[in-house]
Amino acid sequence: MDTQQREDMKTDEPFQMSPIEGGGVTSAAGFTAAGVHAGFRKNPERADLALIAVERPVAAAGTFTTNRFCAAPVQVSREHLGGAGKGYGLMRAVVVNSGNANAATGAPGLAVAHKTCEVVARELGCAPEEVLVASTGVIGVPLAIAPFEQGVPQAVASLSREGAHAAARAIMTTDTRAKECAVAYASEAPGYEGARFTVGGMCKGSGMIMPNMATMIAVITTDAPVAPRALHAALASAVRMTFNKVTVDSDSSTNDTCVMLASGAAAPAATPIEEGTPAFAELCRAVRAVCETLARAIAADGEGASKLVTVTVRGTATDADADTAARSVANSPLVKTAIAGRDCNWGRIAAALGKCGVPFEQERVDIDIMGMPVCRAGLTVPFDEDEALRRFEAPEIVIEADLGAGACSTTVWTCDLTHEYVSINADYRS
């Protein structure tokens, strides 16, 4: 946990939360969802349009890609949330299509993104500006409005609390499984004592993942009453600690979108939660828990991956140094292929740390792999190769490095690099 994370999570209040089995984006009260086949994909058995809706305008917030090839739906959603300098407002729905990114499509792409919001607004009886839109899929291919015209009415007719799983499947691209989770907690904060709040969400992401804001597509919901600006602060904090700590292949998408909605349905008469309060600290912890679970799921489901890899770097002079060093290890093809081959080759980790530009003295570096000391004070430590092979059978590989240059640290999640990654991306448009 870095310095900013410690500040974000600081609270003196007791706090307990519980995971919701089978939970997802509609676990929070007030939300419905649907996932349908609209025609973006050729396979009629594969859902490709997701809709998440609420009965009235509610607090909403978003964070988006910083990629300069910014997709049309990102531009429209950012505009609906008040522009890049704001990022929050009141919304009724989020609509997501898979199969086409609507990125690098110029003015026609922007027109389709705006028209999509109009189609959803017409069916829900709200303003187009109260709709957020996201797309994922192939870049540079024109997106037609016809599938939205066909699919949105079908999705609206299918909206239900039970529709969360269909929605999570509809946004998948190269993902091998849907990614969903939810937690609930009983508030102990003044003014909210005994209220039971839920935070849930869904996301997609498997390749083109090293976000500089969020993941490719994520929708988070809560039934806590939250002021829009405070909601954005909670989301941005969680994104910084979770989705921004994931890398599969060091590539940031053109379409990264992470939005959050707060219905307030669990305490409709309560005052909206504001920043700097015990209730806000509780909410931040719950949002972070959901986002971290989803972020780890993205890394574990990286294209072609066989292992989730957790890289923790300690002992740096600054938080930025810790992040740079951890990403250097997490993005190293040599490290990632060594893990795929079950090779406890700590020299590749040392080389990745040494090349990243972070100042340290090699004589002070310690490295552990799967809890085994393999390097101390910059020198090799004998270890049992058979035991190393046994530990590499675990689904999560943990790498830890202490650079001995300070008190800062961070954790980054990634995956191994296999032949299957090449196969998937070599054939992506086929």
Side-chain angles (χ1 to χ4, degrees):
M1 182 178 294
D2 62 30
T3 304
Q4 183 61 55
Q5 292 171 6
R6 288 190 288 271
E7 290 300 313
D8 290 334
M9 302 299 290
K10 190 181 293 182
T11 177
D12 296 326
E13 296 296 321
F15 184 78
Q16 291 184 335
M17 59 184 160
S18 304
I20 297 174
E21 186 175 355
V25 75
T26 62
S27 293
F31 294 97
T32 56
V36 301
H37 176 75
F40 299 102
R41 296 182 178 278
K42 295 179 181 179
N43 183 357
E45 301 300 317
R46 184 167 181 179
D48 53 16
L49 179 73
L51 182 66
I52 298 91
V54 64
E55 287 296 320
R56 59 178 179 81
V58 300
T63 61
F64 302 93
T65 185
T66 58
N67 193 306
R68 289 192 176 273
F69 261 96
C70 179
V74 169
Q75 297 176 53
V76 171
S77 291
R78 183 183 285 141
E79 174 188 318
H80 287 184
L81 288 170
K86 187 179 179 184
Y88 57 88
L90 299 175
M91 293 292 144
R92 281 282 310 276
V94 182
V95 60
V96 186
N97 75 277
S98 61
N100 187 313
N102 195 12
T105 49
L110 275 173
V112 168
H114 280 293
K115 181 63 176 177
T116 300
C117 295
E118 293 172 9
V119 172
V120 174
R122 181 186 68 214
E123 295 297 321
L124 292 179
C126 66
E129 293 76 21
E130 294 174 337
V131 178
L132 299 175
V133 59
S135 300
T136 182
V138 179
I139 295 168
V141 177
L143 178 63
I145 193 62
F148 291 106
E149 295 278 12
Q150 172 183 308
V152 169
Q154 181 184 349
V156 171
S158 302
L159 285 170
S160 71
R161 292 290 297 277
E162 292 71 38
H165 306 307
R169 290 191 294 271
I171 66 174
M172 292 167 52
T173 51
T174 57
D175 307 63
T176 65
R177 52 190 175 272
K179 301 170 179 67
E180 307 169 82
C181 71
V183 300
Y185 66 96
S187 178
E188 308 239 355
Y192 307 91
E193 297 93 336
R196 184 173 175 81
F197 297 136
T198 298
V199 177
M202 67 177 191
C203 75
K204 63 83 54 186
S206 186
M208 199 178 281
I209 298 291
M210 191 173 80
N212 194 13
M213 45 59 63
T215 183
M216 288 185 72
I217 306 289
V219 181
I220 314 297
T221 58
T222 183
D223 50 21
V226 192
R229 183 170 181 172
L231 188 69
H232 184 265
L235 178 64
S237 173
V239 163
R240 183 171 55 248
M241 293 183 278
T242 60
F243 292 131
N244 270 1
K245 299 294 184 179
V246 175
T247 178
V248 168
D249 45 24
S250 80
D251 282 321
S252 295
S253 169
T254 55
N255 290 60
D256 291 339
T257 297
C258 181
V259 298
M260 184 171 180
L261 307 176
S263 70
T271 302
I273 294 169
E274 296 282 2
E275 291 181 70
T277 64
F280 180 75
E282 290 179 339
L283 178 68
C284 282
R285 289 188 176 193
V287 175
R288 182 192 171 185
V290 168
C291 291
E292 182 170 317
T293 298
L294 295 174
R296 285 170 54 86
I298 290 169
D301 194 32
E303 289 175 341
S306 68
K307 302 289 182 182
L308 168 65
V309 182
T310 298
V311 179
T312 296
V313 171
R314 304 182 182 89
T316 60
T318 67
D319 294 334
D321 282 352
D323 189 76
T324 297
R327 288 181 191 275
S328 184
V329 173
N331 284 325
S332 167
L334 291 177
V335 172
K336 291 160 74 73
T337 51
I339 293 169
R342 279 50 168 178
D343 182 5
C344 195
N345 188 344
W346 71 267
R348 293 184 176 183
I349 299 169
L353 293 169
K355 74 176 183 180
C356 71
V358 169
F360 63 85
E361 297 175 10
Q362 64 173 301
E363 294 82 7
R364 304 187 67 177
V365 174
D366 296 338
I367 299 173
D368 290 11
I369 300 177
M370 297 298 288
M372 294 192 313
V374 294
C375 170
R376 287 293 182 268
L379 299 174
T380 190
V381 174
F383 61 88
D384 187 327
E385 292 281 1
D386 290 336
E387 175 62 16
L389 281 172
R390 187 188 69 79
R391 297 192 187 193
F392 265 94
E393 293 305 311
E396 179 177 358
I397 306 301
V398 178
I399 296 172
E400 300 171 276
D402 190 327
L403 304 189
C408 296
S409 65
T410 199
T411 295
V412 169
W413 295 283
T414 188
C415 59
D416 59 350
L417 178 59
T418 69
H419 295 288
E420 185 63 18
Y421 178 88
V422 177
S423 298
I424 290 169
N425 285 284
D427 296 334
Y428 182 67
R429 294 200 307 153
S430 301

